[in-house]
Amino acid sequence: MSPVMDKTLDEPPTSAVFLDNCHFSQVIFNNVEKFYVPGGDITCYYTLTQHITPRRKDWVGIFRVGWKTTREYYTFMWTPFPSDLSGDSIVQQQIQFRAYYLPKDDEYYQFCYVDEEGVVRGASVPFQFRAETEDDILVVTTQGEVEEIEQQNKDLLKENKELKESCLCLQKQNLGLQEELRLAQEKMKELEGEVCFLQTGNLELRRAQELQAGEMSSAQMNLASIREQNIKLGKENQELQKGLASLRSSCEKLELEGNFLKEENKRLTEQNGCRERELQQFKEHNQEVSSEKEQLESRLKTTLDHMDQLQSQVLNQEKEMENLVRLDHDKTEQLEHLKEENRQLRITLTEQKEQEVKLEQCLEDLKHQNHDLAKELEEKNHLFQILQRKKDEIEEKNLRLRQENNELLMRLSESPDYSAWVAVPSAQVPTRSPESADLLFGNPYNKSLETYGVNMPSVKKCPLCHEVFSDDIGPRQYEEHVRSHILDCPFCDETFQDKQVYDDHVYCHSLE
């Protein structure tokens, strides 16, 4: 039970009255939402029909669905008393509940209008206190799960179709129940009209009974006065018989008048008996009307119970409909997400195919380029072999020239002019003549062996980086230098000279 509201410190009037004794159609609640956002004030709108008379101690409470008595309220507010109230008018009222006193869970609740005797006069449809938005869930799938997702989509579409068919069946059942409820309400209105008509007839009968009772009392008073007059006449007649014998004729007249009065008294007595019989008939008719009223009240009570059952069935079906709609909405959103992911996966697959085509083209280009480079390397190797043969020939010629030079030196040392030639200063030693400047190896007769060995040009040149090597480098070192420029693929038997082409080729193998 909620804390006491700020309007008053009194507890609302409640009772142990059960649902069978409540009248839910006398107060109608309007514009009731399916759910209210927690943390905010809510306004309750309701209509007072002509079948209820509002009083000062009436109140509106919030009850959890499934309550049995009016003592099970969660919170309440006193109802404002209408300023202009007439007997047949319909009054629109509203009342505001503050957020501090409202429930904090997501159970179903409803508004109930309770009068000062603790009897429920009206109840609203159920509602909840919960937030409006819900978080979306993103499901990420891979390429391998596309077929499974498509199969799941087909199953979901089939299940969605079955749910829609069941929803249509439920809607048809709901329409049938609403039609039965409408007929029951119309029948209840007819029964209420009959009850009002019977109550009006009962009031008229009571008025007629009261009028007849007044007439009977007046007739009894007249009869009593006649009896008194008859007694007085009897006394006068006795006095006249004793005192006045001469007035017999008048006494006979008086006797005649007495007989006439007796006849009239007898006639009044008969009329009184007829009125008593009519009164008895009225009583019997009143009892029949009361029994018919009790039967109509029992029929009305049965109809109200049936209407409450129909209303509870309609509420349950509305809850099931909401759950089905929510489930359908969730599955539709999940299907949309799956379609979006499928579209993205297809786009990614298309991009990957395009990239594979580009890589294949690049691979073909690299193969052609590798083929060209292999041809070029073969040509370079052939050129290297030619140059190697030329080098061997030149070395042979150089060896012969050295031998000839040694022979000439020996001959010069044996000639008498050798000492004089040695005494010549170094400044006067003849230099390389212009005629011998165009020779590839120079003139061996104008230079010593050491000068020739230093100034001889090299024939060893790298075919890839064009680096020139001296004669003192061996063939093994030269081959290692050339091999350092050639890059072998770790995945296949291809070789490359360009580092960028080699990296692209290895990257293509990593994508496989």
Side-chain angles (χ1 to χ4, degrees), residues 90-200:
I90 297 176
V91 182
Q92 303 287 339
Q93 294 287 96
Q94 67 179 20
I95 191 171
Q96 188 176 21
F97 289 87
R98 295 188 178 180
Y100 177 78
Y101 301 100
L102 297 176
K104 303 300 187 294
D105 53 7
D106 57 352
E107 296 290 335
Y108 282 92
Y109 293 87
Q110 62 181 154
F111 298 112
C112 292
Y113 187 97
V114 186
D115 60 8
E116 66 178 12
E117 295 178 356
V119 179
V120 178
R121 299 298 182 180
S124 69
V125 297
F127 56 86
Q128 286 181 293
F129 294 93
R130 61 179 177 86
E132 183 176 2
T133 58
E134 295 182 356
D135 296 333
D136 295 333
I137 300 175
L138 179 62
V139 179
V140 180
T141 57
T142 60
Q143 180 66 24
E145 299 175 353
V146 172
E147 296 180 357
E148 184 178 357
I149 290 173
E150 290 179 355
Q151 185 65 31
Q152 290 178 358
N153 290 340
K154 292 180 181 179
D155 295 337
L156 289 173
L157 289 173
K158 184 176 179 181
E159 186 177 357
N160 190 10
K161 185 176 180 181
E162 293 176 357
L163 289 173
K164 286 181 179 180
E165 292 177 357
S166 62
C167 183
L168 291 174
C169 294
L170 291 174
Q171 287 179 355
K172 291 180 181 180
Q173 293 178 2
N174 192 9
L175 291 175
L177 292 173
Q178 288 179 356
E179 184 66 22
E180 292 179 0
L181 180 62
R182 186 181 63 80
L183 295 174
Q185 289 178 351
E186 291 179 355
K187 189 173 181 180
M188 185 182 68
K189 290 181 180 179
E190 293 177 357
L191 292 175
E192 288 180 353
E194 291 179 0
V195 169
C196 293
F197 178 74
L198 292 174
Q199 289 178 352
T200 305

Side-chain angles (χ1 to χ4, degrees), residues 358-374 494-509:
K358 291 180 181 178
L359 290 174
E360 288 177 358
Q361 293 177 357
C362 181
L363 185 60
E364 291 293 332
D365 296 336
L366 290 174
K367 286 182 180 180
H368 290 300
Q369 187 177 1
N370 189 14
H371 184 67
D372 296 337
L373 290 173
E494 295 186 10
T495 58
F496 302 93
Q497 297 175 2
D498 191 356
K499 185 69 167 61
Q500 182 64 37
V501 176
Y502 171 75
D503 293 337
D504 294 339
H505 178 76
V506 173
Y507 177 71
C508 292
H509 279 296

Side-chain angles (χ1 to χ4, degrees), residues 212-228 265 268-269 271-273 275-276 279:
Q212 289 178 359
E215 291 178 355
M216 286 180 63
S217 61
S218 62
Q220 287 177 358
M221 292 176 64
N222 292 327
L223 182 60
S225 61
I226 290 170
R227 286 177 179 176
E228 290 177 354
N265 190 8
L268 290 174
T269 303
Q271 289 180 359
N272 191 9
R275 288 177 181 176
E276 286 180 355
L279 182 60

Side-chain angles (χ1 to χ4, degrees), residues 242-432:
K242 290 179 181 180
L244 298 172
S246 61
L247 296 175
R248 290 179 179 177
S249 58
S250 60
C251 183
E252 291 177 358
K253 292 179 180 179
L254 290 172
E255 287 179 357
L256 292 174
E257 289 178 0
N259 293 327
F260 177 75
L261 291 173
K262 287 180 180 179
E263 291 178 358
E264 188 176 0
N265 190 8
K266 185 178 180 181
R267 184 175 58 80
L268 290 174
T269 303
E270 292 177 355
Q271 289 180 359
N272 191 9
C274 292
R275 288 177 181 176
E276 286 180 355
R277 286 193 296 274
E278 290 178 358
L279 182 60
Q280 186 66 28
Q281 291 177 359
F282 282 132
K283 287 181 180 180
E284 292 176 356
H285 183 68
N286 192 9
Q287 289 179 357
E288 292 177 357
V289 170
S290 298
S291 62
E292 289 179 358
K293 180 181 177 183
E294 290 177 355
Q295 292 178 359
L296 290 173
E297 286 178 353
S298 63
R299 289 172 61 188
L300 179 60
K301 182 178 178 182
T302 306
T303 304
L304 289 173
D305 293 337
H306 184 63
M307 187 182 71
D308 292 336
Q309 293 177 358
L310 290 175
Q311 188 175 5
S312 62
Q313 292 178 0
V314 169
L315 291 175
N316 294 327
Q317 289 181 357
E318 287 180 354
K319 291 179 183 178
E320 292 178 358
M321 285 290 295
E322 290 178 357
N323 293 328
L324 290 174
V325 170
R326 190 182 300 108
L327 182 60
D328 189 12
H329 181 68
D330 294 337
K331 290 186 177 180
T332 304
E333 288 183 352
Q334 188 177 3
L335 182 60
E336 292 295 330
H337 287 304
L338 292 174
K339 287 182 179 178
E340 181 65 22
E341 290 173 4
N342 192 5
R343 186 179 65 80
Q344 292 179 359
L345 289 173
R346 288 180 180 176
I347 293 172
T348 306
L349 183 60
T350 306
E351 293 176 354
Q352 289 181 356
K353 288 182 179 179
E354 293 177 356
Q355 189 175 5
E356 287 179 359
V357 172
K358 291 180 181 178
L359 290 174
E360 288 177 358
Q361 293 177 357
C362 181
L363 185 60
E364 291 293 332
D365 296 336
L366 290 174
K367 286 182 180 180
H368 290 300
Q369 187 177 1
N370 189 14
H371 184 67
D372 296 337
L373 290 173
K375 288 182 178 180
E376 185 178 355
L377 180 60
E378 187 177 356
E379 292 175 357
K380 295 285 184 182
N381 291 329
H382 183 66
L383 180 61
F384 175 72
Q385 292 175 1
I386 294 171
L387 292 173
Q388 188 71 25
R389 287 194 297 269
K390 287 183 179 180
K391 177 189 173 186
D392 294 338
E393 292 176 357
I394 291 169
E395 285 180 353
E396 291 177 358
K397 289 180 180 180
N398 191 10
L399 183 60
R400 289 196 300 269
L401 288 173
R402 286 180 181 177
Q403 292 176 358
E404 291 177 357
N405 191 11
N406 290 329
E407 291 176 357
L408 288 174
L409 287 174
M410 291 175 66
R411 291 175 183 178
L412 285 173
S413 63
E414 292 177 355
S415 67
D417 295 333
Y418 176 73
S419 60
W421 182 80
V422 172
V424 176
S426 62
Q428 295 180 2
V429 174
T431 61
R432 188 177 181 181

